[in-house]
Structure formats: structure tokens, C-alpha cells
Amino acid sequence: MAPPLPKEKGLTLPQECQDFVHSLKIRGKYALFLAFVVIAFVFIEKENKIISRVSDKLKQIPQSVADVNSTDPALLLPENASLLSLSELDSTFSQLQSRLRNLSLQLGMEPALQAQWGAAGKPSQQARAGNRRHVLLMATTRTGSSFVGEFFNQQGNVFYLFEPLWHIERTVFFQQGGASAAGSALVYRDVLKQLLLCDLYVLEPFISPAPEDHLTQFLFRRGSSRSLCEEPVCTPSVKKVFEKYHCRNRRCGPLNVTLAAEACRRKDHVALKAVRVRQLESLQPLAEDPRLDLRVIQLVRDPRAVLASRMVAFATKYESWKKWLTEGQGGLSEDEVQRLRGNCESIRLSAELGLRQPAWLRGRYLLVRYEDVARRPLQKAREMYGFAGIPLTPQVEDWIQKNTQASRDSSDVYSTRKNSSEQFEKWRFSMPFKLAQVVQAACGPAMRLFGYKLARDAASLTNRSVSLLEERGIFWVT
Ligand SMILES: *[C@@H]1O[C@H](CO)[C@@H](O)[C@H](O)[C@H]1NC(C)=O
Ligand SMILES: *[C@@H]1O[C@H](CO)[C@@H](O)[C@H](O)[C@H]1NC(C)=O
Ligand SMILES: *[C@@H]1O[C@H](CO)[C@@H](O)[C@H](O)[C@H]1NC(C)=O
Ligand SMILES: *[C@@H]1O[C@H](CO)[C@@H](O)[C@H](O)[C@H]1NC(C)=O
Ligand SMILES: *[C@@H]1O[C@H](CO)[C@@H](O)[C@H](O)[C@H]1NC(C)=O
Ligand SMILES: *[C@@H]1O[C@H](CO)[C@@H](O)[C@H](O)[C@H]1NC(C)=O
């Protein structure tokens, strides 16, 4: 399929460029794309000074953390990902892409491939596709995003994908910090754009083991996408094979990516859930792409609850926290706290940008608190659908009713359905107060923005009549 990699013609690369490319462990189409970038760097170096500007940018990134004028140490992100210089890097990157297009024409590359990577410059001014909406549910882990994602998954005319960026994180190794962290935002963004356009082939180079003939049994959590488990994407299962990511209620043959892409195009809308997009800012090209009608729903949750949940779900990553809790002293390094702070800050910065409603985001951003969804799921679902401009069907309403309320029949002790308005603050009764204090200290600015009140003492943490939630209207400015 893919044309052979263009030869590098024995040119040597600038060191920054090598570092950038080598920090990504990639294969397939993306390798090709990066090879383009590499070649573009080389050509550009020959002709003018952009390369020095690019490499300056690349070198600057780790330092830009220190450039932040604020004395707030919260801005010292542990992953050293620059929150300020991404747009600069990105505009430089766009220039590169434009050059890349010229370059690939010279090299006689397939135009289709260029188009696929957005290297063909500005998308043509074709009209936005009717009423088709492209919903991105932007969250972080343990914020209830799978649950909220179901609101879109359950609607028959929405093509929903669950966490497709998982594959990119698995196969592209981004060294923490510096250019690579910013680079990851660009890769995620480009992949998301293609997926929203129903180009599901874009995932293939990242799926391991590699799909053959566009068939794969390894699409992450296939079973979480109804669209991938219904006719005609669910093909008859011929032989019994182990499928790690199988459909929930039926057996299907391996996923045919072509069939999935066709199904995506047939549906009225597309929705994706992603916990790996850290910066709302990185999505600007998607919002501005005339082929897309993007709606970003940023889902946030009380960081105390998130930490409590992560300590259970990702137990091994939180060994030092547990040690610190049980043994009293030591254990909890400044790095750990810094990471927590960094996560809260990147969520807050994205939300602040969204709420500020810059022109490119106007009408395209909605902030949702998980706690509000848990307490008033139907109302929040209506708001989200209203914001997205998609009519909510009874199908979704039924699903929500069934999955958020405990059975009214109290004799039904085996009901697995949770009463979501009782569940959302369960964490308060098992979280040691000193852990809550650490989160409150690290995540204060984010908590203030989202209306999560600080607990003064252990008693108020566990006192049900003390609310830790400020009531907020819809975080949605029109
Ligand atoms: C830091 O402050 C200087 C002068 O006040 C300003 O020009 C610059 O833009 C600021 N930098 C950042 C990253 O905010
Ligand atoms: C690409 O090529 C076209 C036509 O040859 C030229 O007008 C344009 O300036 C080039 N773009 C870049 C970024 O070099
Ligand atoms: C991030 O920056 C800090 C301070 O400059 C440095 O000590 C640390 O090693 C960097 N971390 C990564 C993962 O690059
Ligand atoms: C996948 O689906 C496409 C579209 O229907 C079909 O042409 C192709 O043969 C299928 N691939 C395989 C391996 O069955
Ligand atoms: C769920 O719990 C809330 C809070 O305790 C209560 O008000 C509500 O009636 C419960 N709903 C059902 C269906 O049990
Ligand atoms: C819980 O909080 C309420 C309201 O602040 C207070 O009246 C009550 O005494 C508290 N209960 C306990 C057990 O501390």
C-alpha cells in the first residue's frame, strides 16, 4: 500500500531534528509522515532560516516552563510539556506542512497520502457536511468519561469510538518533556482529525499486531462502540479465535476497517472519547477545519475523587502514595505532588481557555462536571445534546434511566444498577483527610474554578450535610 520511504539522499539532519524524530518510536504511515518532516527540515535548512527558528522553538520548550512569569509553582508541569509555546510550535509546524506539500509534489508522492496527513495545506472550502456534528469528549482518566461517552454511544445515529488514541500512546513513544510532549499533542490532534473524518485507516499503523488486509482483532475496546458491533460491521464469526477486545453481546469476525469506515460515513454524527488530549488549544485546527463541525465537551471531576479512584484503578502507580499514607513518613516525593499539580493545572488551563470563548471556539466548547451528570443525568444529557445540536432520542433516555437509578423495588437486592446520585461522593467516606489535604493544596486553583469546595477538617469531609460542591449553572457561554 504505502509507497516506499523517500530516500534521504545522504543528507545529514540537524541535531534538534534528529532528536525530535528519534524520540518517537514509530512505524508505518506515521514513520513516512515523519520522514517527510525530516526531509522538509533538510530542504528548508538548505534554503532559509526557518529551520533555525524551528530548532530554536524545539530547544526552547523545556525552558519555557521556567519562562512562565507566574510564581505559581503549579505551572511547573512535571512532564515539562509547554503550555505556552505549543501554538508557536504549531504555526511553525503548519509552515512546514505547507512546504512539505510542495516537497512531496516534487518527490512525486501520492496526492491521496498527502491529503490524508493534511499536508495538502488548507482544506478545500467545501461546505460543512450538513448537520453532521463531530463531538469530542475530552477528559482525563477516572472522571466518568466512559459513562458519559455512553450517552453518545447509545444513540443509533452516532458513530462512537472509545479511546482510539490508546493505540497511539502504545506505539509512539513520546519521551516525557520537551519537544516530544508538544509533538504528541500534534500527533494526537492529526489522528483525531482523520478519525472525525471517518478515515479509520489512520489507526492501522498504530495497531499492534498490525492489521492484515484491513482486518484486525486488536482494536482497543471494540466492544465499547456499538457501531462496531452491529450489522454490517459485525461480520459472522467464522472460527473461534481469542479476541481480546470482543463485542459485548455477540460474536463477530475480526474488525474490517473498511466496513467500519463505511459505517462511520453512513451515520449522521461522529463522537469520540479521549483522555489523552491535554491541551484544548491543540484542537484549534480541528475547530477551524471546514469539513468538521466540532463540539468539544470537557468533562471534569473533583480531583480528590479522581485521585481516590486512580489509587484503586492504577494501584501500582500509586505505591508511594499508599506507603506515605500507611507509614506516615516519607514515600511521597515532591515529584508525585508535582505531577498531580501538573494534571490539575493542564485541566484548568484548558477549561479557562474554553470558558473564555476565543473566536475559534465560540459555540464549540462545553464544560461539564461529572458530579452534575451523576446527580442529574437526564438533564445533563439534554444539555450536552442541545449543545452538540443533535436531537436526543428515547433510546438514550431509556439507557440513562436504566443505568443511573437503583431499582425502585427494594427487594431487588441483586440489582447491579447504581443510584448514581448516591455514588458520586462515596470517595468522601474512605479518603484519609491528609490525602484530601494534599490534593486541595496541589489543585486549589482548578478546584476553585470548577466549584469544588475545600474540606476544612476530617469531620467535614465525612459529614454528608456539608456540601463540597458549589452549585453552578451551565458552564456554557453562547
Ligand atoms: C513575562 O513577562 C514579560 C514582561 O512582563 C512579558 O513581556 C512576557 O510576555 C511574559 N511571559 C509570559 C510567558 O507570560
Ligand atoms: C509551494 O509552491 C507554490 C507553487 O510552486 C508556491 O507558490 C508556494 O509559495 C510554495 N509554498 C511554500 C510554503 O514554499
Ligand atoms: C523536567 O524538567 C525538570 C527541571 O528542568 C528536570 O529535572 C526533569 O528531568 C525533566 N523531566 C523530564 C521527564 O524531562
Ligand atoms: C472488508 O470490507 C470491504 C467492504 O465491504 C470488502 O471489500 C473487503 O473484501 C473486506 N475485507 C475482507 C478481508 O473481508
Ligand atoms: C438515589 O439516591 C438519592 C440520594 O440519596 C435519592 O434522593 C433518590 O431517591 C435515589 N433514587 C432512587 C431511584 O433510588
Ligand atoms: C455536620 O454538619 C452539620 C452542618 O454543618 C452540623 O450541623 C452537624 O453537627 C455536623 N455533624 C457532625 C456529626 O459533625
Side-chain angles (χ1 to χ4, degrees), residues 400-443:
I400 292 173
Q401 296 281 1
K402 289 200 182 96
N403 288 276
T404 55
Q405 288 180 8
S407 168
R408 284 179 199 286
D409 178 1
S410 54
S411 67
D412 184 7
V413 291
Y414 298 107
S415 171
T416 53
R417 291 174 188 157
K418 298 175 189 171
N419 178 340
S420 67
S421 56
E422 278 173 353
Q423 293 288 320
F424 85 93
E425 56 180 7
K426 261 186 123 171
W427 63 270
R428 289 177 61 176
F429 309 100
S430 53
M431 176 173 251
F433 180 62
K434 72 171 184 175
L435 188 55
Q437 276 180 304
V438 171
V439 182
Q440 293 178 172
C443 297

Side-chain angles (χ1 to χ4, degrees), residues 348-422:
R348 179 180 68 86
L349 291 171
S350 286
E352 279 181 349
L353 173 66
L355 295 173
R356 223 167 32 236
Q357 299 273 325
W360 63 270
L361 254 185
R362 201 146 295 149
R364 303 194 181 283
Y365 174 85
L366 176 69
L367 178 65
V368 172
R369 295 189 304 189
Y370 172 72
E371 292 78 7
D372 295 328
V373 178
R375 293 182 303 161
R376 295 184 293 273
L378 209 48
Q379 180 193 327
K380 296 310 282 188
R382 291 190 182 117
E383 282 171 22
M384 285 187 257
Y385 270 83
F387 157 75
I390 303 176
L392 180 64
T393 60
Q395 206 179 0
V396 178
E397 298 193 356
D398 285 351
W399 185 90
I400 292 173
Q401 296 281 1
K402 289 200 182 96
N403 288 276
T404 55
Q405 288 180 8
S407 168
R408 284 179 199 286
D409 178 1
S410 54
S411 67
D412 184 7
V413 291
Y414 298 107
S415 171
T416 53
R417 291 174 188 157
K418 298 175 189 171
N419 178 340
S420 67
S421 56
E422 278 173 353

Side-chain angles (χ1 to χ4, degrees), residues 212-215 256-259 262:
E212 284 174 35
D213 234 358
H214 303 297
L215 287 185
N256 178 330
V257 180
T258 305
L259 283 179
E262 288 169 0

Side-chain angles (χ1 to χ4, degrees), residues 45-96:
E45 184 190 41
K46 287 174 83 179
E47 61 185 81
N48 66 23
K49 39 190 192 308
I50 284 195
I51 184 63
S52 63
R53 283 168 52 198
V54 171
S55 53
D56 283 350
K57 294 280 184 298
L58 295 180
K59 272 185 281 188
Q60 264 169 24
I61 289 167
Q63 289 152 17
S64 69
V65 169
D67 286 344
V68 175
N69 290 335
S70 168
T71 50
D72 186 354
L75 287 166
L76 296 167
L77 295 187
E79 288 177 15
N80 296 355
S82 165
L83 292 167
L84 295 173
S85 58
L86 180 65
S87 61
E88 285 177 66
L89 179 65
D90 194 37
S91 75
T92 315
F93 198 74
S94 307
Q95 291 178 34
L96 269 179

